[in-house]
Amino acid sequence: MRYKLPRQYTPVVFAFYMSAVMALLMCMVIVAINTGVDGHYFIRVIQAYALAMPTAFVFLQLVRPLVVRLVSATVAG
């Protein structure tokens, strides 16, 4: 049987996964644009990701209430 977090942690887990995926994708694109893709590309991506992922997670937690209100104001239902 697998251990799962309680449902109350859903917003935090969502923010963690979203920030992890988006920060990685953005780091990959930005590093490629700024320095090119060569033999050290993945090292540079990981270095950028080490800063970007925690930053994205914190900011996602901070802006979540604003985004929820914006979505409520623009989506019917």
Side-chain angles (χ1 to χ4, degrees):
M1 185 175 211
R2 289 185 180 182
Y3 173 76
K4 290 190 175 187
L5 294 171
R7 187 172 298 276
Q8 67 195 26
Y9 294 110
T10 297
V12 175
V13 173
F14 178 87
F16 177 79
Y17 288 137
M18 179 65 77
S19 61
V21 171
M22 290 305 298
L24 180 60
L25 294 173
M26 293 302 297
C27 285
M28 291 173 71
V29 170
I30 293 168
V31 167
I33 290 169
N34 286 332
T35 62
V37 179
D38 59 15
H40 299 288
Y41 170 73
F42 288 108
I43 293 169
R44 291 192 307 272
V45 168
I46 295 305
Q47 289 171 338
Y49 184 73
L51 173 64
M53 195 289 181
T55 304
F57 179 71
V58 168
F59 281 113
L60 191 54
Q61 292 293 332
L62 292 174
V63 301
R64 184 183 180 281
L66 172 63
V67 173
V68 167
R69 278 182 273 161
L70 289 170
V71 169
S72 295
T74 55
V75 176

Coordinates of all heavy atoms in Angstrom, one line a residue:
M1 N 0.8 -1.2 0.0 CA 0.0 0.0 0.0 C 0.9 1.2 0.0 O 1.8 1.4 0.8 CB -0.9 0.0 1.2 CG -1.9 1.1 1.3 SD -3.0 0.9 2.7 CE -4.4 1.6 2.0
R2 N 0.6 2.2 -0.9 CA 1.4 3.4 -1.0 C 0.9 4.5 0.0 O -0.3 4.6 0.3 CB 1.2 4.0 -2.4 CG 1.9 3.2 -3.4 CD 1.8 4.0 -4.7 NE 2.5 3.2 -5.8 CZ 2.6 3.7 -7.0 NH1 2.0 4.8 -7.3 NH2 3.2 2.9 -7.9
Y3 N 1.8 5.2 0.5 CA 1.5 6.3 1.4 C 1.1 7.5 0.5 O 1.8 7.9 -0.4 CB 2.7 6.7 2.3 CG 2.5 7.9 3.1 CD1 1.7 7.9 4.2 CD2 3.0 9.1 2.7 CE1 1.4 9.0 5.0 CE2 2.8 10.3 3.4 CZ 2.0 10.2 4.6 OH 1.8 11.4 5.3
K4 N 0.0 8.2 0.9 CA -0.4 9.4 0.2 C -0.6 10.5 1.2 O -1.0 10.2 2.4 CB -1.7 9.2 -0.6 CG -1.5 8.3 -1.8 CD -2.8 8.3 -2.6 CE -2.6 7.6 -3.9 NZ -3.7 7.7 -4.8
L5 N -0.4 11.7 0.8 CA -0.6 12.9 1.7 C -2.1 13.1 1.8 O -2.9 12.8 0.9 CB 0.1 14.1 1.1 CG 1.6 14.1 1.0 CD1 2.1 15.2 0.2 CD2 2.2 14.1 2.4
P6 N -2.5 13.7 3.0 CA -3.9 14.0 3.1 C -4.3 15.1 2.1 O -3.5 15.9 1.6 CB -3.9 14.6 4.5 CG -2.7 14.1 5.2 CD -1.7 13.9 4.2
R7 N -5.6 15.1 1.8 CA -6.2 15.9 0.8 C -5.9 17.4 1.0 O -5.8 18.2 0.1 CB -7.7 15.7 0.7 CG -8.4 16.4 -0.5 CD -9.8 16.0 -0.6 NE -10.0 14.6 -1.0 CZ -9.9 14.1 -2.2 NH1 -9.6 14.8 -3.2 NH2 -10.1 12.8 -2.4
Q8 N -5.8 17.8 2.3 CA -5.6 19.2 2.6 C -4.3 19.8 2.1 O -4.1 21.0 2.0 CB -5.6 19.4 4.2 CG -4.4 18.7 4.9 CD -4.6 18.6 6.3 OE1 -5.7 18.5 6.8 NE2 -3.5 18.6 7.1
Y9 N -3.3 18.9 1.7 CA -2.1 19.4 1.1 C -2.1 19.5 -0.4 O -1.1 19.8 -1.0 CB -0.9 18.4 1.6 CG -0.7 18.4 3.0 CD1 -1.0 17.3 3.8 CD2 -0.1 19.6 3.7 CE1 -0.8 17.3 5.2 CE2 0.1 19.6 5.0 CZ -0.2 18.5 5.8 OH 0.0 18.5 7.1
T10 N -3.2 19.3 -1.0 CA -3.4 19.4 -2.4 C -2.8 20.7 -3.0 O -2.0 20.6 -4.0 CB -4.8 19.2 -2.9 OG1 -5.2 17.9 -2.5 CG2 -5.0 19.3 -4.4
P11 N -3.1 21.9 -2.5 CA -2.6 23.1 -3.1 C -1.1 23.1 -3.0 O -0.4 23.6 -4.0 CB -3.2 24.2 -2.3 CG -4.4 23.6 -1.7 CD -4.1 22.2 -1.5
V12 N -0.5 22.7 -2.0 CA 1.0 22.7 -1.8 C 1.6 21.7 -2.8 O 2.6 22.0 -3.4 CB 1.4 22.5 -0.4 CG1 2.9 22.4 -0.2 CG2 0.8 23.5 0.6
V13 N 1.1 20.5 -2.9 CA 1.6 19.5 -3.8 C 1.5 20.0 -5.2 O 2.4 19.8 -6.0 CB 0.9 18.1 -3.5 CG1 1.4 17.1 -4.5 CG2 1.2 17.6 -2.1
F14 N 0.3 20.5 -5.6 CA 0.1 21.0 -6.9 C 1.2 22.1 -7.2 O 1.8 22.1 -8.3 CB -1.3 21.6 -7.1 CG -1.5 22.2 -8.4 CD1 -2.0 21.4 -9.5 CD2 -1.3 23.6 -8.7 CE1 -2.2 22.0 -10.7 CE2 -1.5 24.1 -9.9 CZ -1.9 23.3 -10.9
A15 N 1.4 23.0 -6.3 CA 2.4 24.1 -6.5 C 3.8 23.5 -6.7 O 4.6 24.0 -7.5 CB 2.3 25.1 -5.3
F16 N 4.1 22.5 -5.9 CA 5.4 21.9 -6.0 C 5.6 21.3 -7.4 O 6.6 21.5 -8.0 CB 5.6 20.8 -4.9 CG 6.9 20.1 -5.0 CD1 8.1 20.7 -4.5 CD2 7.0 18.8 -5.6 CE1 9.3 20.0 -4.6 CE2 8.2 18.2 -5.7 CZ 9.3 18.8 -5.2
Y17 N 4.7 20.5 -7.8 CA 4.8 19.8 -9.1 C 4.8 20.9 -10.3 O 5.6 20.8 -11.2 CB 3.8 18.8 -9.4 CG 3.9 17.5 -8.5 CD1 2.8 17.0 -7.9 CD2 5.2 16.9 -8.4 CE1 3.0 15.8 -7.2 CE2 5.3 15.8 -7.6 CZ 4.2 15.2 -7.0 OH 4.4 14.1 -6.3
M18 N 3.9 21.8 -10.2 CA 3.8 22.9 -11.2 C 5.1 23.7 -11.3 O 5.6 23.9 -12.4 CB 2.6 23.8 -11.0 CG 2.5 24.9 -12.0 SD 2.1 24.3 -13.7 CE 0.4 23.9 -13.5
S19 N 5.6 24.1 -10.2 CA 6.9 24.9 -10.2 C 8.1 24.0 -10.6 O 8.9 24.5 -11.3 CB 7.1 25.5 -8.8 OG 7.3 24.5 -7.8
A20 N 8.1 22.7 -10.3 CA 9.2 21.9 -10.7 C 9.2 21.7 -12.2 O 10.3 21.9 -12.8 CB 9.0 20.5 -10.0
V21 N 8.1 21.4 -12.8 CA 8.0 21.2 -14.2 C 8.2 22.5 -15.0 O 9.0 22.6 -15.9 CB 6.6 20.6 -14.6 CG1 6.4 20.6 -16.1 CG2 6.5 19.2 -14.1
M22 N 7.5 23.6 -14.6 CA 7.7 24.9 -15.3 C 9.1 25.5 -15.2 O 9.6 26.0 -16.2 CB 6.6 25.9 -14.9 CG 5.2 25.5 -15.3 SD 5.0 25.2 -17.1 CE 5.4 26.9 -17.7
A23 N 9.7 25.4 -14.0 CA 11.0 25.9 -13.8 C 12.0 25.1 -14.7 O 12.9 25.8 -15.3 CB 11.4 25.9 -12.4
L24 N 11.9 23.8 -14.8 CA 12.8 23.0 -15.6 C 12.6 23.4 -17.1 O 13.6 23.7 -17.8 CB 12.5 21.5 -15.4 CG 13.4 20.6 -16.3 CD1 14.9 20.8 -15.9 CD2 13.0 19.2 -16.1
L25 N 11.4 23.5 -17.6 CA 11.2 23.8 -19.0 C 11.7 25.2 -19.3 O 12.4 25.5 -20.3 CB 9.7 23.7 -19.3 CG 9.1 22.3 -19.3 CD1 7.6 22.4 -19.5 CD2 9.8 21.4 -20.3
M26 N 11.4 26.2 -18.4 CA 11.9 27.6 -18.6 C 13.4 27.6 -18.6 O 14.0 28.3 -19.4 CB 11.3 28.5 -17.6 CG 9.8 28.7 -17.7 SD 9.3 29.3 -19.4 CE 10.1 30.9 -19.4
C27 N 14.0 26.9 -17.7 CA 15.5 26.9 -17.6 C 16.1 26.3 -18.9 O 17.1 26.8 -19.4 CB 16.0 26.1 -16.4 SG 15.8 27.0 -14.8
M28 N 15.5 25.3 -19.4 CA 16.0 24.6 -20.6 C 16.0 25.6 -21.8 O 16.9 25.7 -22.5 CB 15.2 23.4 -20.9 CG 15.5 22.2 -19.9 SD 14.4 20.8 -20.1 CE 15.1 20.2 -21.6
V29 N 14.8 26.3 -21.9 CA 14.7 27.3 -23.0 C 15.6 28.5 -22.9 O 16.3 28.8 -23.8 CB 13.2 27.7 -23.1 CG1 13.1 28.9 -24.1 CG2 12.3 26.5 -23.5
I30 N 15.6 29.0 -21.7 CA 16.4 30.3 -21.5 C 17.9 30.0 -21.6 O 18.6 30.8 -22.2 CB 16.0 30.9 -20.1 CG1 14.6 31.4 -20.2 CG2 17.0 32.0 -19.7 CD1 14.0 31.8 -18.9
V31 N 18.4 28.9 -21.0 CA 19.8 28.5 -21.1 C 20.1 28.3 -22.6 O 21.2 28.7 -23.1 CB 20.1 27.3 -20.2 CG1 21.5 26.7 -20.6 CG2 20.1 27.7 -18.8
A32 N 19.3 27.6 -23.3 CA 19.6 27.4 -24.7 C 19.6 28.7 -25.5 O 20.5 28.8 -26.4 CB 18.5 26.5 -25.3
I33 N 18.7 29.6 -25.2 CA 18.7 30.9 -26.0 C 20.0 31.7 -25.6 O 20.6 32.3 -26.5 CB 17.4 31.7 -25.7 CG1 16.2 31.0 -26.3 CG2 17.5 33.1 -26.1 CD1 14.9 31.5 -25.9
N34 N 20.3 31.8 -24.3 CA 21.4 32.6 -23.9 C 22.8 32.1 -24.1 O 23.7 32.9 -24.4 CB 21.2 32.9 -22.4 CG 20.1 33.9 -22.1 OD1 19.8 34.7 -22.9 ND2 19.5 33.8 -20.9
T35 N 23.0 30.8 -24.0 CA 24.3 30.3 -24.1 C 24.5 29.2 -25.1 O 25.6 28.7 -25.3 CB 24.8 29.7 -22.7 OG1 23.9 28.6 -22.3 CG2 24.8 30.8 -21.6
G36 N 23.4 28.8 -25.7 CA 23.5 27.7 -26.7 C 23.4 26.3 -26.1 O 23.5 26.1 -24.9
V37 N 23.4 25.3 -27.0 CA 23.3 23.9 -26.6 C 24.7 23.3 -27.0 O 25.0 23.2 -28.2 CB 22.2 23.2 -27.3 CG1 22.2 21.7 -26.8 CG2 20.8 23.8 -26.9
D38 N 25.5 23.0 -26.0 CA 26.7 22.3 -26.3 C 27.0 21.2 -25.2 O 26.0 20.8 -24.6 CB 27.9 23.4 -26.3 CG 28.0 24.1 -24.9 OD1 27.4 23.7 -23.9 OD2 28.7 25.2 -24.9
G39 N 28.2 20.8 -25.0 CA 28.5 19.8 -24.1 C 28.2 20.1 -22.6 O 28.0 19.1 -21.8
H40 N 28.1 21.3 -22.3 CA 27.9 21.7 -20.9 C 26.4 22.2 -20.7 O 26.1 22.8 -19.6 CB 28.9 22.8 -20.5 CG 30.3 22.3 -20.5 ND1 30.8 21.4 -19.7 CD2 31.3 22.6 -21.4 CE1 32.1 21.2 -20.0 NE2 32.4 21.9 -21.0
Y41 N 25.6 22.0 -21.7 CA 24.2 22.6 -21.6 C 23.5 22.0 -20.4 O 22.9 22.8 -19.6 CB 23.5 22.2 -22.9 CG 22.0 22.4 -22.8 CD1 21.5 23.7 -22.9 CD2 21.1 21.4 -22.7 CE1 20.1 24.0 -22.9 CE2 19.7 21.6 -22.7 CZ 19.3 22.9 -22.8 OH 17.9 23.1 -22.7
F42 N 23.5 20.8 -20.1 CA 22.7 20.2 -19.0 C 23.3 20.6 -17.7 O 22.5 20.8 -16.7 CB 22.6 18.7 -19.1 CG 21.6 18.3 -20.3 CD1 22.2 17.7 -21.4 CD2 20.3 18.5 -20.1 CE1 21.3 17.3 -22.4 CE2 19.4 18.1 -21.2 CZ 19.9 17.5 -22.3
I43 N 24.5 20.8 -17.6 CA 25.1 21.3 -16.3 C 24.6 22.7 -16.1 O 24.2 23.1 -14.9 CB 26.7 21.3 -16.4 CG1 27.2 19.9 -16.4 CG2 27.3 22.1 -15.2 CD1 28.6 19.7 -16.7
R44 N 24.6 23.6 -17.1 CA 24.1 24.9 -16.9 C 22.6 24.9 -16.6 O 22.1 25.8 -15.8 CB 24.4 25.8 -18.2 CG 25.9 26.1 -18.4 CD 26.1 27.1 -19.5 NE 25.5 26.8 -20.7 CZ 26.0 26.1 -21.7 NH1 27.2 25.5 -21.6 NH2 25.3 25.9 -22.8
V45 N 21.8 24.0 -17.2 CA 20.4 23.9 -16.9 C 20.2 23.6 -15.4 O 19.4 24.2 -14.8 CB 19.7 22.9 -17.8 CG1 18.3 22.6 -17.3 CG2 19.7 23.5 -19.3
I46 N 20.9 22.6 -15.0 CA 20.8 22.2 -13.6 C 21.2 23.3 -12.6 O 20.5 23.5 -11.6 CB 21.6 20.9 -13.3 CG1 21.0 19.7 -14.1 CG2 21.6 20.5 -11.8 CD1 19.5 19.5 -13.9
Q47 N 22.2 24.0 -12.9 CA 22.6 25.2 -12.1 C 21.6 26.2 -12.0 O 21.3 26.8 -11.0 CB 24.0 25.7 -12.6 CG 25.1 24.8 -12.3 CD 26.4 25.3 -13.0 OE1 26.4 26.1 -14.0 NE2 27.5 24.9 -12.5
A48 N 21.0 26.5 -13.2 CA 19.9 27.5 -13.2 C 18.7 27.0 -12.5 O 18.0 27.7 -11.7 CB 19.5 27.8 -14.7
Y49 N 18.4 25.7 -12.6 CA 17.2 25.1 -12.0 C 17.3 25.1 -10.5 O 16.3 25.2 -9.8 CB 17.1 23.6 -12.5 CG 15.8 22.9 -12.1 CD1 14.6 23.2 -12.5 CD2 15.9 21.9 -11.1 CE1 13.5 22.6 -12.1 CE2 14.8 21.2 -10.7 CZ 13.6 21.6 -11.2 OH 12.5 20.9 -10.7
A50 N 18.5 24.9 -10.0 CA 18.7 24.9 -8.5 C 18.3 26.2 -7.9 O 17.8 26.2 -6.7 CB 20.2 24.7 -8.2
L51 N 18.3 27.3 -8.6 CA 17.8 28.6 -8.1 C 16.4 28.8 -8.5 O 15.6 29.3 -7.7 CB 18.7 29.7 -8.6 CG 18.2 31.2 -8.3 CD1 18.2 31.4 -6.8 CD2 19.0 32.2 -9.1
A52 N 16.0 28.4 -9.7 CA 14.7 28.7 -10.3 C 13.6 27.9 -9.6 O 12.5 28.5 -9.4 CB 14.7 28.5 -11.8
M53 N 13.8 26.7 -9.3 CA 12.7 25.8 -8.8 C 12.3 26.3 -7.4 O 11.1 26.5 -7.2 CB 13.1 24.4 -8.8 CG 12.0 23.4 -8.6 SD 11.3 23.5 -6.9 CE 10.1 22.3 -7.0
P54 N 13.1 26.5 -6.4 CA 12.6 27.0 -5.1 C 12.0 28.4 -5.2 O 11.0 28.6 -4.6 CB 13.9 27.0 -4.2 CG 14.9 26.2 -4.9 CD 14.6 26.2 -6.4
T55 N 12.6 29.2 -6.1 CA 12.0 30.5 -6.3 C 10.6 30.4 -6.9 O 9.7 31.1 -6.4 CB 12.9 31.4 -7.2 OG1 14.2 31.4 -6.6 CG2 12.4 32.8 -7.4
A56 N 10.4 29.6 -7.9 CA 9.1 29.4 -8.5 C 8.1 28.9 -7.5 O 7.0 29.3 -7.5 CB 9.2 28.5 -9.7
F57 N 8.5 27.9 -6.7 CA 7.6 27.4 -5.7 C 7.2 28.4 -4.7 O 6.0 28.5 -4.4 CB 8.3 26.2 -5.0 CG 7.5 25.6 -3.9 CD1 6.4 24.8 -4.2 CD2 7.8 25.7 -2.6 CE1 5.6 24.2 -3.3 CE2 7.0 25.1 -1.6 CZ 5.9 24.4 -1.9
V58 N 8.1 29.2 -4.2 CA 7.7 30.2 -3.2 C 6.8 31.3 -3.9 O 5.7 31.6 -3.3 CB 9.0 30.9 -2.6 CG1 8.6 32.2 -1.9 CG2 9.7 30.0 -1.8
F59 N 7.1 31.7 -5.0 CA 6.3 32.7 -5.7 C 4.9 32.2 -6.1 O 3.9 32.9 -6.1 CB 7.0 33.4 -6.9 CG 7.9 34.4 -6.5 CD1 9.3 34.2 -6.7 CD2 7.5 35.6 -5.9 CE1 10.2 35.2 -6.3 CE2 8.4 36.6 -5.4 CZ 9.7 36.4 -5.6
L60 N 4.9 30.9 -6.5 CA 3.6 30.3 -6.8 C 2.7 30.2 -5.6 O 1.5 30.5 -5.7 CB 3.8 28.9 -7.4 CG 2.6 28.2 -8.0 CD1 2.0 29.0 -9.1 CD2 3.1 26.8 -8.6
Q61 N 3.3 29.9 -4.4 CA 2.5 30.0 -3.2 C 2.0 31.4 -2.9 O 0.8 31.5 -2.4 CB 3.3 29.5 -2.0 CG 3.7 28.0 -2.0 CD 2.5 27.1 -1.9 OE1 1.5 27.5 -1.3 NE2 2.6 25.9 -2.4
L62 N 2.8 32.4 -3.2 CA 2.4 33.8 -2.9 C 1.3 34.3 -3.8 O 0.4 35.0 -3.4 CB 3.6 34.7 -2.9 CG 4.7 34.5 -1.9 CD1 5.9 35.3 -2.1 CD2 4.1 34.8 -0.5
V63 N 1.4 33.9 -5.1 CA 0.4 34.5 -6.0 C -0.8 33.6 -6.2 O -1.8 34.0 -6.9 CB 1.0 34.7 -7.4 CG1 2.2 35.7 -7.3 CG2 1.5 33.4 -8.1
R64 N -0.9 32.4 -5.6 CA -2.0 31.5 -5.8 C -3.3 32.2 -5.4 O -4.3 32.1 -6.2 CB -1.8 30.3 -4.9 CG -2.9 29.3 -5.1 CD -2.7 28.0 -4.2 NE -3.8 27.1 -4.4 CZ -5.0 27.2 -3.8 NH1 -5.3 28.2 -3.1 NH2 -5.9 26.3 -4.1
P65 N -3.4 32.9 -4.3 CA -4.7 33.5 -4.0 C -5.2 34.5 -5.0 O -6.4 34.6 -5.4 CB -4.5 34.2 -2.6 CG -3.3 33.5 -2.0 CD -2.5 33.1 -3.2
L66 N -4.3 35.3 -5.5 CA -4.6 36.2 -6.6 C -5.1 35.5 -7.9 O -6.1 35.9 -8.5 CB -3.4 37.1 -6.9 CG -3.5 38.0 -8.1 CD1 -4.7 39.0 -7.9 CD2 -2.2 38.7 -8.5
V67 N -4.4 34.4 -8.2 CA -4.8 33.7 -9.4 C -6.1 33.1 -9.3 O -7.0 33.1 -10.2 CB -3.7 32.7 -9.8 CG1 -4.1 31.7 -10.9 CG2 -2.4 33.3 -10.1
V68 N -6.4 32.5 -8.1 CA -7.7 31.9 -7.8 C -8.8 33.0 -8.0 O -9.9 32.7 -8.6 CB -7.8 31.3 -6.4 CG1 -9.2 31.0 -6.0 CG2 -6.9 30.1 -6.3
R69 N -8.6 34.2 -7.5 CA -9.6 35.3 -7.6 C -9.7 35.7 -9.1 O -10.9 35.9 -9.6 CB -9.2 36.5 -6.8 CG -9.7 36.3 -5.3 CD -9.3 37.5 -4.5 NE -7.9 37.3 -4.1 CZ -7.1 38.2 -3.7 NH1 -7.5 39.5 -3.6 NH2 -5.9 37.9 -3.3
L70 N -8.6 35.8 -9.8 CA -8.7 36.1 -11.2 C -9.5 35.1 -12.0 O -10.3 35.4 -12.9 CB -7.3 36.3 -11.8 CG -6.5 37.5 -11.4 CD1 -5.1 37.4 -11.8 CD2 -7.2 38.8 -11.9
V71 N -9.2 33.8 -11.7 CA -10.0 32.7 -12.4 C -11.4 32.8 -12.1 O -12.3 32.7 -13.0 CB -9.4 31.3 -12.1 CG1 -10.3 30.2 -12.6 CG2 -8.0 31.2 -12.6
S72 N -11.8 33.0 -10.8 CA -13.2 33.1 -10.4 C -13.9 34.3 -11.1 O -15.1 34.2 -11.4 CB -13.3 33.3 -8.9 OG -12.8 32.1 -8.3
A73 N -13.1 35.4 -11.3 CA -13.7 36.6 -12.0 C -13.9 36.4 -13.5 O -14.7 37.1 -14.1 CB -12.8 37.8 -11.7
T74 N -13.2 35.5 -14.1 CA -13.2 35.3 -15.5 C -13.9 34.1 -16.0 O -14.2 34.0 -17.2 CB -11.8 35.4 -16.1 OG1 -11.0 34.4 -15.5 CG2 -11.2 36.8 -15.9
V75 N -14.2 33.1 -15.2 CA -14.8 31.9 -15.6 C -16.2 31.8 -15.0 O -16.4 31.9 -13.8 CB -13.9 30.6 -15.2 CG1 -14.6 29.3 -15.5 CG2 -12.5 30.7 -15.8
A76 N -17.2 31.5 -15.8 CA -18.5 31.3 -15.4 C -18.7 30.1 -14.5 O -18.0 29.1 -14.7 CB -19.5 31.3 -16.6
G77 N -19.6 30.2 -13.6 CA -19.9 29.0 -12.8 C -19.7 29.2 -11.4 O -19.7 28.6 -10.4

